[in-house]
Protein backbone atom coordinates (compact mmCIF):
# COMPACT_ATOMS: atom_id res chain seq x y z
CA UNK A 1 0.00 0.00 0.00
CA UNK A 2 2.98 2.31 0.16
CA UNK A 3 6.61 2.61 -0.70
CA UNK A 4 9.37 3.63 1.70
CA UNK A 5 8.70 7.35 1.10
CA UNK A 6 5.46 6.99 3.06
CA UNK A 7 7.04 4.97 5.83
CA UNK A 8 9.61 7.50 7.00
CA UNK A 9 9.84 7.95 10.74
CA UNK A 10 12.77 10.38 10.60
CA UNK A 11 13.07 13.93 9.35
CA UNK A 12 16.83 14.22 8.94
CA UNK A 13 18.00 13.03 12.33
CA UNK A 14 14.77 13.97 14.01
CA UNK A 15 12.53 11.12 15.15
CA UNK A 16 8.95 12.04 14.35
CA UNK A 17 6.37 11.67 17.14
CA UNK A 18 3.53 9.16 16.92
CA UNK A 19 0.95 11.96 16.82
CA UNK A 20 2.69 13.43 13.75
CA UNK A 21 3.00 10.06 12.03
CA UNK A 22 -0.73 9.38 12.47
CA UNK A 23 -1.51 11.94 9.75
CA UNK A 24 -0.05 9.93 6.90
CA UNK A 25 2.21 7.05 7.86
CA UNK A 26 2.01 3.97 5.64
CA UNK A 27 -0.35 5.45 3.02
CA UNK A 28 0.67 6.46 -0.50
CA UNK A 29 -1.88 8.96 -1.94
CA UNK A 30 -0.52 8.35 -5.44
CA UNK A 31 -1.83 4.79 -5.34
CA UNK A 32 -5.36 6.12 -4.68
CA UNK A 33 -6.06 8.97 -7.14
CA UNK A 34 -4.04 11.36 -4.91
CA UNK A 35 -6.73 11.20 -2.23
CA UNK A 36 -5.31 12.83 0.94
CA UNK A 37 -7.01 10.27 3.15
CA UNK A 38 -7.01 6.54 2.53
CA UNK A 39 -10.24 5.40 0.88
CA UNK A 40 -12.30 2.67 2.55
CA UNK A 41 -11.52 -0.49 0.60
CA UNK A 42 -14.97 -2.03 0.79
CA UNK A 43 -14.10 -5.23 -0.99
CA UNK A 44 -14.03 -8.87 -0.01
CA UNK A 45 -11.42 -9.88 -2.58
CA UNK A 46 -8.62 -8.48 -4.75
CA UNK A 47 -7.93 -9.10 -8.45
CA UNK A 48 -4.60 -10.79 -9.27
CA UNK A 49 -2.73 -9.45 -12.31
CA UNK A 50 -1.58 -12.97 -13.17
CA UNK A 51 -2.12 -16.48 -11.81
CA UNK A 52 1.57 -16.52 -10.81
CA UNK A 53 0.97 -13.43 -8.63
CA UNK A 54 -1.93 -15.21 -6.92
CA UNK A 55 0.22 -18.27 -6.27
CA UNK A 56 3.06 -16.18 -4.82
CA UNK A 57 0.75 -14.11 -2.62
CA UNK A 58 -0.78 -17.27 -1.16
CA UNK A 59 2.62 -18.88 -0.61
CA UNK A 60 3.65 -15.93 1.49
CA UNK A 61 0.34 -15.53 3.33
CA UNK A 62 0.23 -19.22 4.26
CA UNK A 63 3.88 -19.34 5.30
CA UNK A 64 4.84 -21.78 2.51
CA UNK A 65 8.02 -19.80 1.76
CA UNK A 66 10.16 -17.06 3.29
CA UNK A 67 9.51 -13.41 2.46
CA UNK A 68 11.93 -12.04 -0.16
CA UNK A 69 13.91 -8.87 0.78
CA UNK A 70 11.60 -5.82 0.60
CA UNK A 71 8.65 -7.98 -0.55
CA UNK A 72 5.25 -6.56 0.43
CA UNK A 73 2.49 -9.11 1.13
CA UNK A 74 0.15 -9.12 -1.87
CA UNK A 75 -3.51 -8.35 -1.32
CA UNK A 76 -5.65 -11.50 -1.54
CA UNK A 77 -8.92 -11.50 0.40
CA UNK A 78 -10.12 -9.23 3.21
CA UNK A 79 -10.08 -11.99 5.83
CA UNK A 80 -6.33 -12.27 5.17
CA UNK A 81 -5.42 -8.64 4.44
CA UNK A 82 -6.89 -5.31 3.35
CA UNK A 83 -5.21 -1.91 2.75
CA UNK A 84 -7.17 -0.14 5.49
CA UNK A 85 -6.11 -2.75 8.02
CA UNK A 86 -2.51 -2.74 6.87
CA UNK A 87 -2.19 1.03 7.26
CA UNK A 88 -4.03 0.92 10.58
CA UNK A 89 -1.80 -1.89 11.87
CA UNK A 90 1.35 0.03 10.89
CA UNK A 91 0.08 3.02 12.86
CA UNK A 92 -1.02 1.02 15.90
CA UNK A 93 2.42 -0.60 16.00
CA UNK A 94 3.96 2.89 16.24
CA UNK A 95 1.95 3.72 19.37
CA UNK A 96 2.70 0.36 20.96
CA UNK A 97 6.44 0.63 20.06
CA UNK A 98 6.06 -2.71 18.31
CA UNK A 99 7.39 -4.29 15.17
CA UNK A 100 3.90 -5.19 14.05
CA UNK A 101 0.21 -5.20 14.93
CA UNK A 102 -2.89 -7.19 14.05
CA UNK A 103 -6.34 -5.58 14.12
CA UNK A 104 -9.36 -7.56 15.29
CA UNK A 105 -13.15 -7.34 15.32
CA UNK A 106 -13.17 -6.65 19.09
CA UNK A 107 -10.93 -6.59 22.14
CA UNK A 108 -12.25 -10.06 22.99
CA UNK A 109 -11.40 -11.25 19.45
CA UNK A 110 -7.82 -10.03 19.99
CA UNK A 111 -7.57 -11.68 23.42
CA UNK A 112 -9.21 -14.99 22.51
CA UNK A 113 -7.40 -15.38 19.17
CA UNK A 114 -4.06 -14.67 20.89
CA UNK A 115 -4.74 -17.20 23.64
CA UNK A 116 -5.96 -19.85 21.15
CA UNK A 117 -2.70 -19.38 19.28
CA UNK A 118 -0.53 -20.06 22.33
CA UNK A 119 -2.52 -22.38 24.65
CA UNK A 120 -2.51 -26.14 24.14
CA UNK A 121 -4.54 -28.88 25.86
CA UNK A 122 -2.84 -29.63 29.19
CA UNK A 123 -1.21 -26.20 29.41
CA UNK A 124 -1.91 -23.52 31.99
CA UNK A 125 -2.48 -19.78 31.76
CA UNK A 126 -1.33 -17.84 34.81
CA UNK A 127 -3.25 -14.58 34.98
CA UNK A 128 -3.75 -11.56 37.21
CA UNK A 129 -7.12 -10.81 38.77
CA UNK A 130 -9.42 -9.12 38.35
CA UNK A 131 -9.56 -9.16 34.59
CA UNK A 132 -12.34 -7.80 32.39
CA UNK A 133 -15.50 -9.94 32.79
CA UNK A 134 -15.35 -11.34 29.24
CA UNK A 135 -11.72 -12.36 29.67
CA UNK A 136 -12.58 -13.92 33.04
CA UNK A 137 -15.31 -15.99 31.35
CA UNK A 138 -12.93 -17.09 28.60
CA UNK A 139 -10.23 -18.12 31.07
CA UNK A 140 -12.44 -19.83 33.64
CA UNK A 141 -15.36 -21.23 31.64
CA UNK A 142 -14.41 -21.64 27.99
CA UNK A 143 -10.72 -22.55 27.85
CA UNK A 144 -11.12 -25.35 30.48
CA UNK A 145 -13.52 -27.08 28.04
CA UNK A 146 -10.48 -27.44 25.76
CA UNK A 147 -8.17 -28.75 28.48
CA UNK A 148 -6.55 -25.37 29.26
CA UNK A 149 -6.44 -24.51 32.97
CA UNK A 150 -6.15 -21.01 34.38
CA UNK A 151 -4.52 -20.04 37.67
CA UNK A 152 -5.30 -16.59 39.01
CA UNK A 153 -3.23 -14.37 41.28
CA UNK A 154 -4.47 -11.09 42.77
CA UNK A 155 -2.95 -8.00 41.14
CA UNK A 156 -2.44 -6.46 44.57
CA UNK A 157 -0.52 -9.56 45.77
CA UNK A 158 2.66 -8.32 44.07
CA UNK A 159 5.42 -10.46 42.59
CA UNK A 160 5.10 -13.02 45.41
CA UNK A 161 1.51 -13.87 44.45
CA UNK A 162 2.51 -14.17 40.79
CA UNK A 163 5.40 -16.51 41.63
CA UNK A 164 3.23 -18.67 43.89
CA UNK A 165 0.64 -18.96 41.12
CA UNK A 166 3.38 -20.07 38.71
CA UNK A 167 4.48 -22.74 41.23
CA UNK A 168 0.91 -24.03 41.46
CA UNK A 169 0.58 -23.98 37.68
CA UNK A 170 3.71 -26.08 37.28
CA UNK A 171 2.05 -28.90 39.18
CA UNK A 172 -0.65 -29.01 36.50
CA UNK A 173 1.31 -28.56 33.28
CA UNK A 174 3.50 -26.24 31.19
CA UNK A 175 2.67 -22.56 31.44
CA UNK A 176 1.55 -21.36 28.01
CA UNK A 177 1.11 -17.71 28.93
CA UNK A 178 1.40 -15.14 31.69
CA UNK A 179 -1.64 -12.96 31.09
CA UNK A 180 -1.69 -9.62 32.87
CA UNK A 181 -4.36 -6.96 32.88
CA UNK A 182 -2.66 -3.89 34.27
CA UNK A 183 -4.05 -1.61 35.49
CA UNK A 184 -6.95 -3.96 36.18
CA UNK A 185 -10.53 -3.21 35.23
CA UNK A 186 -12.20 -2.00 37.48
CA UNK A 187 -9.87 -1.90 40.51
CA UNK A 188 -6.81 -0.22 38.92
CA UNK A 189 -4.62 -2.88 40.59
CA UNK A 190 -1.12 -2.89 39.08
CA UNK A 191 1.05 -5.82 38.02
CA UNK A 192 4.80 -5.36 37.58
CA UNK A 193 5.51 -6.37 33.96
CA UNK A 194 9.29 -6.46 34.51
CA UNK A 195 8.84 -8.95 37.35
CA UNK A 196 6.67 -11.07 35.05
CA UNK A 197 9.53 -11.04 32.52
CA UNK A 198 11.99 -12.20 35.18
CA UNK A 199 9.58 -14.93 36.24
CA UNK A 200 9.03 -16.10 32.64
CA UNK A 201 12.78 -16.27 32.06
CA UNK A 202 13.32 -18.21 35.29
CA UNK A 203 10.87 -20.98 34.39
CA UNK A 204 12.89 -23.88 33.12
CA UNK A 205 10.45 -26.34 31.62
CA UNK A 206 11.76 -26.10 28.10
CA UNK A 207 9.53 -23.22 26.98
CA UNK A 208 9.37 -19.61 28.14
CA UNK A 209 5.72 -18.64 28.44
CA UNK A 210 4.54 -15.75 26.33
CA UNK A 211 3.71 -12.60 28.35
CA UNK A 212 0.49 -10.96 27.19
CA UNK A 213 -0.58 -7.62 28.69
CA UNK A 214 -4.06 -6.12 28.29
CA UNK A 215 -3.30 -2.40 27.99
CA UNK A 216 -6.88 -1.22 27.49
CA UNK A 217 -7.14 0.83 30.68
CA UNK A 218 -4.19 3.18 30.09
CA UNK A 219 -3.90 2.80 26.34
CA UNK A 220 -0.65 3.31 24.45
CA UNK A 221 -0.32 6.91 25.57
CA UNK A 222 0.19 6.13 29.25
CA UNK A 223 1.75 2.65 29.15
CA UNK A 224 3.89 0.73 26.64
CA UNK A 225 4.04 -2.84 28.00
CA UNK A 226 6.39 -4.14 25.25
CA UNK A 227 9.05 -1.71 26.48
CA UNK A 228 8.64 -3.21 29.97
CA UNK A 229 9.22 -6.79 28.81
CA UNK A 230 5.85 -8.05 27.53
CA UNK A 231 5.84 -10.14 24.34
CA UNK A 232 2.38 -9.11 23.23
CA UNK A 233 0.09 -6.24 24.10
CA UNK A 234 -3.64 -6.62 23.53
CA UNK A 235 -5.97 -3.64 23.54
CA UNK A 236 -9.68 -3.18 23.25
CA UNK A 237 -9.60 -0.47 20.56
CA UNK A 238 -13.29 0.02 21.35
CA UNK A 239 -12.12 2.16 24.27
CA UNK A 240 -9.53 4.95 24.14
CA UNK A 241 -8.17 4.27 20.68
CA UNK A 242 -11.58 4.31 18.96
CA UNK A 243 -12.43 6.92 21.53
CA UNK A 244 -15.94 7.92 20.37
CA UNK A 245 -18.01 4.94 21.62
CA UNK A 246 -19.07 4.23 18.05
CA UNK A 247 -17.16 1.08 17.13
CA UNK A 248 -15.94 -2.28 18.45
CA UNK A 249 -12.39 -3.41 17.65
CA UNK A 250 -9.23 -4.85 19.15
CA UNK A 251 -5.51 -5.00 18.51
CA UNK A 252 -2.52 -7.16 19.32
CA UNK A 253 1.01 -5.80 18.95
CA UNK A 254 4.41 -7.42 19.28
CA UNK A 255 7.38 -8.76 17.36
CA UNK A 256 6.49 -10.16 13.94
CA UNK A 257 7.57 -13.66 15.02
CA UNK A 258 5.39 -13.55 18.15
CA UNK A 259 2.41 -12.42 16.07
CA UNK A 260 2.81 -15.06 13.35
CA UNK A 261 0.79 -17.85 15.07
CA UNK A 262 -1.88 -15.29 15.96
CA UNK A 263 -2.06 -14.04 12.37
CA UNK A 264 -2.61 -17.62 11.17
CA UNK A 265 -5.29 -18.18 13.81
CA UNK A 266 -7.01 -14.90 12.88
CA UNK A 267 -7.14 -15.89 9.21
CA UNK A 268 -8.85 -19.18 10.04
CA UNK A 269 -11.14 -17.96 12.82
CA UNK A 270 -12.03 -14.85 10.81
CA UNK A 271 -11.68 -12.56 13.81
CA UNK A 272 -10.15 -9.67 11.86
CA UNK A 273 -11.38 -6.07 11.89
CA UNK A 274 -13.48 -4.89 8.93
CA UNK A 275 -12.18 -2.14 6.57
CA UNK A 276 -14.74 0.48 7.56
CA UNK A 277 -13.95 0.10 11.27
CA UNK A 278 -10.27 0.19 10.33
CA UNK A 279 -10.83 3.51 8.57
CA UNK A 280 -12.70 4.94 11.57
CA UNK A 281 -9.83 3.87 13.83
CA UNK A 282 -7.31 5.69 11.63
CA UNK A 283 -9.40 8.82 11.97
CA UNK A 284 -9.48 8.34 15.75
CA UNK A 285 -5.72 7.84 15.95
CA UNK A 286 -5.18 11.39 14.67
CA UNK A 287 -6.65 12.77 17.90
CA UNK A 288 -5.61 10.02 20.32
CA UNK A 289 -3.07 12.10 22.19
CA UNK A 290 -5.33 15.18 22.43
CA UNK A 291 -8.29 13.16 23.67
CA UNK A 292 -6.41 11.06 26.19
CA UNK A 293 -4.52 14.05 27.56
CA UNK A 294 -7.70 16.09 27.99
CA UNK A 295 -9.57 13.17 29.57
CA UNK A 296 -6.71 12.54 31.99
CA UNK A 297 -6.73 16.19 33.08
CA UNK A 298 -10.50 16.07 33.61
CA UNK A 299 -10.21 12.81 35.56
CA UNK A 300 -7.73 14.36 37.93
CA UNK A 301 -10.18 17.20 38.66
CA UNK A 302 -13.11 14.81 39.17
CA UNK A 303 -11.05 12.50 41.38
CA UNK A 304 -9.93 15.45 43.53
CA UNK A 305 -13.57 16.43 43.99
CA UNK A 306 -14.71 12.91 44.90
CA UNK A 307 -11.81 12.41 47.30
CA UNK A 308 -13.16 15.17 49.54
CA UNK A 309 -16.85 14.27 49.37
CA UNK A 310 -18.46 13.08 52.64
CA UNK A 311 -20.68 10.53 50.83
CA UNK A 312 -17.67 8.88 49.17
CA UNK A 313 -15.84 6.10 51.02
CA UNK A 314 -12.82 5.67 48.71
CA UNK A 315 -11.46 6.76 45.33
CA UNK A 316 -9.29 4.32 43.37
CA UNK A 317 -7.60 6.85 41.15
CA UNK A 318 -4.04 5.84 40.28
CA UNK A 319 -2.72 9.33 40.96
CA UNK A 320 -3.76 8.90 44.61
CA UNK A 321 -1.60 5.82 45.27
CA UNK A 322 0.04 6.62 48.62
CA UNK A 323 3.82 7.04 48.69
CA UNK A 324 4.19 3.92 50.86
CA UNK A 325 1.86 1.73 48.73
CA UNK A 326 3.75 -1.21 47.15
CA UNK A 327 2.21 -0.38 43.73
CA UNK A 328 3.55 3.20 43.83
CA UNK A 329 7.10 2.52 42.54
CA UNK A 330 5.74 0.14 39.88
CA UNK A 331 3.20 2.76 38.78
CA UNK A 332 5.88 5.44 38.57
CA UNK A 333 8.22 3.26 36.52
CA UNK A 334 5.68 1.51 34.33
CA UNK A 335 3.02 4.14 33.63
CA UNK A 336 3.29 7.59 32.08
CA UNK A 337 0.01 8.84 33.54
CA UNK A 338 -2.98 7.90 35.67
CA UNK A 339 -5.45 7.73 32.76
CA UNK A 340 -9.09 8.62 33.15
CA UNK A 341 -10.92 5.47 34.26
CA UNK A 342 -11.22 4.76 37.94
CA UNK A 343 -13.64 3.47 40.54
CA UNK A 344 -15.00 5.09 43.66
CA UNK A 345 -17.04 3.59 46.48
CA UNK A 346 -20.00 5.41 47.92
CA UNK A 347 -20.80 4.98 51.60
CA UNK A 348 -23.32 2.15 51.83
CA UNK A 349 -23.87 -0.64 49.31
CA UNK A 350 -25.61 -1.42 46.05
CA UNK A 351 -28.72 0.65 46.87
CA UNK A 352 -26.67 3.79 47.53
CA UNK A 353 -24.53 3.22 44.42
CA UNK A 354 -27.63 2.69 42.26
CA UNK A 355 -29.24 5.85 43.67
CA UNK A 356 -26.24 7.93 42.62
CA UNK A 357 -26.11 6.30 39.18
CA UNK A 358 -29.83 6.87 38.59
CA UNK A 359 -29.58 10.58 39.46
CA UNK A 360 -26.76 11.45 37.06
CA UNK A 361 -27.88 13.75 34.28
CA UNK A 362 -24.78 14.72 32.28
CA UNK A 363 -22.84 11.53 32.90
CA UNK A 364 -24.39 8.59 31.02
CA UNK A 365 -25.19 5.30 32.75
CA UNK A 366 -23.47 2.83 30.42
CA UNK A 367 -20.70 0.25 30.42
CA UNK A 368 -17.52 0.76 28.37
CA UNK A 369 -14.85 3.38 28.79
CA UNK A 370 -12.41 5.58 26.93
CA UNK A 371 -14.96 7.57 24.90
CA UNK A 372 -15.28 11.34 24.56
CA UNK A 373 -18.29 11.26 26.91
CA UNK A 374 -18.17 10.38 30.59
CA UNK A 375 -19.74 7.05 31.49
CA UNK A 376 -20.61 5.57 34.88
CA UNK A 377 -21.35 1.91 35.57
CA UNK A 378 -21.68 -0.61 38.37
CA UNK A 379 -19.08 -3.35 37.78
CA UNK A 380 -20.46 -5.85 40.35
CA UNK A 381 -23.86 -6.07 38.62
CA UNK A 382 -22.79 -5.24 35.06
CA UNK A 383 -19.38 -5.88 33.45
CA UNK A 384 -18.17 -8.27 36.17
CA UNK A 385 -21.51 -9.89 37.09
CA UNK A 386 -20.34 -13.29 35.81
CA UNK A 387 -17.93 -13.45 38.73
CA UNK A 388 -19.53 -15.05 41.84
CA UNK A 389 -20.18 -12.52 44.67
CA UNK A 390 -17.61 -13.96 47.11
CA UNK A 391 -14.95 -13.86 44.41
CA UNK A 392 -15.97 -10.31 43.51
CA UNK A 393 -15.42 -9.27 47.13
CA UNK A 394 -12.01 -10.98 47.16
CA UNK A 395 -11.07 -9.07 44.00
CA UNK A 396 -12.32 -5.76 45.44
CA UNK A 397 -15.38 -5.46 43.20
CA UNK A 398 -17.72 -4.35 45.98
CA UNK A 399 -21.47 -3.51 45.73
CA UNK A 400 -20.66 0.15 46.55
CA UNK A 401 -18.21 0.51 43.66
CA UNK A 402 -19.01 2.82 40.75
CA UNK A 403 -16.69 2.95 37.75
CA UNK A 404 -16.23 6.26 36.00
CA UNK A 405 -14.68 6.75 32.60
CA UNK A 406 -14.08 10.47 32.38
CA UNK A 407 -14.48 11.98 28.91
CA UNK A 408 -13.55 15.37 27.51
CA UNK A 409 -16.51 17.46 28.67
CA UNK A 410 -15.83 20.51 30.83
CA UNK A 411 -14.77 18.89 34.16
CA UNK A 412 -16.75 21.54 36.08
CA UNK A 413 -19.95 20.25 34.47
CA UNK A 414 -19.08 16.70 35.47
CA UNK A 415 -18.35 17.78 39.03
CA UNK A 416 -21.67 19.66 39.17
CA UNK A 417 -23.47 16.51 37.99
CA UNK A 418 -21.76 14.30 40.57
CA UNK A 419 -22.41 16.95 43.19
CA UNK A 420 -26.18 16.93 42.64
CA UNK A 421 -26.27 13.10 42.40
CA UNK A 422 -24.29 12.61 45.63
CA UNK A 423 -26.06 15.38 47.56
CA UNK A 424 -29.68 14.31 47.19
C1 LIG B 1 -9.78 -4.21 30.06
C2 LIG B 1 -10.63 -4.72 28.93
N1 LIG B 1 -10.16 -5.66 28.12
C3 LIG B 1 -10.90 -6.15 27.11
C4 LIG B 1 -12.19 -5.73 26.88
C5 LIG B 1 -12.99 -6.33 25.77
O1 LIG B 1 -13.05 -5.45 24.69
P1 LIG B 1 -14.22 -5.47 23.59
O2 LIG B 1 -15.48 -5.06 24.26
O3 LIG B 1 -13.72 -4.53 22.55
O4 LIG B 1 -14.31 -6.88 23.09
C6 LIG B 1 -12.73 -4.74 27.72
C7 LIG B 1 -14.11 -4.27 27.51
O5 LIG B 1 -14.68 -3.58 28.31
C8 LIG B 1 -11.93 -4.23 28.77
O6 LIG B 1 -12.40 -3.28 29.60
Amino acid sequence: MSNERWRKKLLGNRELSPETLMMGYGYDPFLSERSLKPPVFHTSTFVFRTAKDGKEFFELAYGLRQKRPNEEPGLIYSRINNPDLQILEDRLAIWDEAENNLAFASGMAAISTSLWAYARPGSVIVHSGPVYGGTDFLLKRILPQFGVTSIEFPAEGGAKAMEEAADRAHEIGPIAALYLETPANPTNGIVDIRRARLLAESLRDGRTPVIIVDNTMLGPLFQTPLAEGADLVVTSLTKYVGGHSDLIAGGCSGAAAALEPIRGMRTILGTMCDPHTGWLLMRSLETLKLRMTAAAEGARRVADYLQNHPAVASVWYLGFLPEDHPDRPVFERQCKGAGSTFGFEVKGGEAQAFAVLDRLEVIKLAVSLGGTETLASHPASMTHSDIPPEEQMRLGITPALIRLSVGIENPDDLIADLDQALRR
Side-chain angles (χ1 to χ4, degrees), residues 85 93 185 211 306 315 351 354 395:
L85 294 199
N185 177 7
I211 302 176
L306 290 169
V315 182
F354 276 18
L395 293 169

Side-chain angles (χ1 to χ4, degrees), residues 395-410:
L395 293 169
I397 305 168
T398 64
L401 182 70
I402 290 175
R403 188 186 71 187
L404 269 189
S405 163
V406 177
I408 57 170
E409 304 95 334
N410 185 326

